[in-house]
Amino acid sequence: MKIKIILALLFLNSCLLQRVKEEEHIELITNPQGEGISLVAEFTKGPAYNHPCMAIWLEDLEGNYLETLLVTKYVATGIFAHGETQPGKWNIEPGSVRRPATLPYWAHKRDIRASDGLYIPSPETPVPDAITAATPKGNFSLNTRSTVFPPKKFRILLEINQAWDSNRYWTNTSYSNDPDYFGSLQPSLVYAATIDTENGDDPVFLNPIGHGHPSGKDGKLFTDLTTLTTAKEIIHSVSVSLKLKP
């Protein structure tokens, strides 16, 4: 009996340690050789967080794309853990997958088109390694530098999407003839904030401004968020601040 209790306690302890490990705060560094401004983003996950794809980038106040600061690895390379042999059929080995609905707003802003006509990165049009990272398991900090010097006031944006994230508004029957939609269901959610370099290192919080096309067919921003539910709970908060030189 005592042996069973000890084994149970050891098992419980290992589970708790594993959970603590998964909840550790991760620090990411991208583009350390950049000669522009330094930024620190603090990301706190929400209750619906489950290995989402995301991209963070800069724009001027007119909405012109400047550069990308972070893209999660699968999207950045076009290589996912399970390759697609044909629509809806998956391989157990890593392979190329075309998922235009993943981060369509960012992908069209980036404006690099692959030979198949899609703007989402592919093995032939990957994002540079210096600005990619695996999806963190939980809360994380991003320390990054820009390559360009943005204007005194500029915008920072984040697009995030979680695969197969359905709700009563976004179901498998919503776009029954659109295979690109099925891998996403609830569309990507886009957050933004304006940074004024004259405000010092005061953090600014990103707020949701719209969602991407549900199957990634264009780069439009759709501002009606009333049908999104758990997609709004992937993120609890994201703040960004300038990292000023001492």
Side-chain angles (χ1 to χ4, degrees), residues 165-211:
D165 189 12
S166 65
N167 65 14
R168 66 190 182 96
Y169 302 102
W170 301 90
T171 68
N172 286 334
T173 60
S174 298
Y175 296 88
S176 57
N177 296 319
D178 192 339
D180 291 329
Y181 160 76
F182 293 143
S184 175
L185 300 180
Q186 286 185 80
S188 63
L189 190 54
V190 180
Y191 292 73
T194 298
I195 293 180
D196 186 343
T197 56
E198 295 184 347
N199 286 343
D201 58 358
D202 294 338
V204 297
F205 284 85
L206 279 68
N207 293 303
I209 60 170
H211 68 78

Side-chain angles (χ1 to χ4, degrees), residues 23-228:
E23 294 297 327
E24 287 179 352
H25 191 95
I26 304 298
E27 291 190 10
L28 302 179
I29 299 175
T30 62
N31 202 30
Q33 304 304 317
E35 298 182 353
I37 59 171
S38 294
L39 295 165
V40 179
E42 295 289 345
F43 182 105
T44 304
K45 70 176 186 177
Y49 186 93
N50 185 17
H51 297 87
C53 293
M54 69 184 80
I56 299 175
W57 72 100
L58 303 181
E59 295 182 358
D60 63 23
L61 295 186
E62 285 69 47
N64 299 305
Y65 172 89
L66 296 176
E67 68 175 293
T68 298
L69 301 176
L70 170 72
V71 188
T72 44
K73 200 77 172 180
Y74 288 154
V75 176
T77 60
I79 302 293
F80 285 75
H82 298 281
E84 191 173 32
T85 57
Q86 56 182 297
K89 301 292 183 180
W90 306 96
N91 196 332
I92 60 172
E93 301 294 332
S96 177
V97 181
R98 309 302 285 131
R99 291 180 177 168
T102 307
L103 303 174
Y105 191 63
W106 165 79
H108 281 80
K109 287 278 188 175
R110 179 173 173 258
D111 197 26
I112 297 177
R113 198 172 187 176
S115 59
D116 59 8
L118 299 178
Y119 289 88
I120 201 76
S122 71
E124 68 176 286
T125 60
V127 173
D129 286 343
I131 54 173
T132 70
T135 301
K137 292 182 179 180
N139 304 335
F140 68 91
S141 301
L142 171 66
N143 284 270
T144 185
R145 292 184 67 95
S146 67
T147 300
V148 302
F149 279 94
K152 289 184 178 180
K153 289 184 180 181
F154 61 93
R155 300 176 81 211
I156 185 163
L157 296 94
L158 178 147
E159 185 172 18
I160 192 164
N161 196 0
Q162 209 149 263
W164 302 292
D165 189 12
S166 65
N167 65 14
R168 66 190 182 96
Y169 302 102
W170 301 90
T171 68
N172 286 334
T173 60
S174 298
Y175 296 88
S176 57
N177 296 319
D178 192 339
D180 291 329
Y181 160 76
F182 293 143
S184 175
L185 300 180
Q186 286 185 80
S188 63
L189 190 54
V190 180
Y191 292 73
T194 298
I195 293 180
D196 186 343
T197 56
E198 295 184 347
N199 286 343
D201 58 358
D202 294 338
V204 297
F205 284 85
L206 279 68
N207 293 303
I209 60 170
H211 68 78
H213 191 283
S215 60
K217 286 186 167 38
D218 59 46
K220 295 179 181 178
L221 183 70
F222 300 83
T223 57
D224 184 357
L225 300 177
T226 56
T227 60
L228 273 64

